[in-house]
Amino acid sequence: MKNLEVYQQDKMIFSSDGAWLHPLFELMDFIEREQIPPETLTVHDKLIGRGAAVLLATMGIPACHGRGMS
């Protein structure tokens, strides 16, 4: 599993192995560039912390699954 995987329904549309919050910043750029409605996405994050949770909520992504919390 990558550090961050993003699904639209059952199809993975984005992934990143970046560290810290960098994958989320990449995801923000991806969503804007591709004009994808964030409410249609589900995020799978290896390790989710408070900063990541705030960013995801701010982006409007309704579901995030994490394997751990920091």
Side-chain angles (χ1 to χ4, degrees):
M1 175 180 184
K2 298 274 190 178
N3 286 338
L4 183 77
E5 294 178 349
V6 180
Y7 292 84
Q8 193 170 39
Q9 290 148 359
D10 291 333
K11 181 182 176 191
M12 184 169 51
I13 62 167
F14 177 86
S15 67
S16 176
D17 248 343
W20 298 96
L21 295 174
H22 295 280
L24 293 177
F25 297 132
E26 294 170 13
L27 175 59
M28 289 171 70
D29 292 339
F30 175 77
I31 288 171
E32 185 176 316
R33 182 178 60 249
E34 300 297 322
Q35 298 183 347
I36 297 170
E39 63 273 5
T40 65
L41 304 177
T42 301
V43 172
H44 294 258
D45 200 343
K46 251 187 179 174
L47 183 69
I48 185 152
R50 289 183 186 131
V54 168
L55 278 175
L56 290 167
T58 301
M59 282 189 266
I61 295 174
C64 180
H65 304 278
R67 293 199 292 182
M69 293 188 75
S70 62

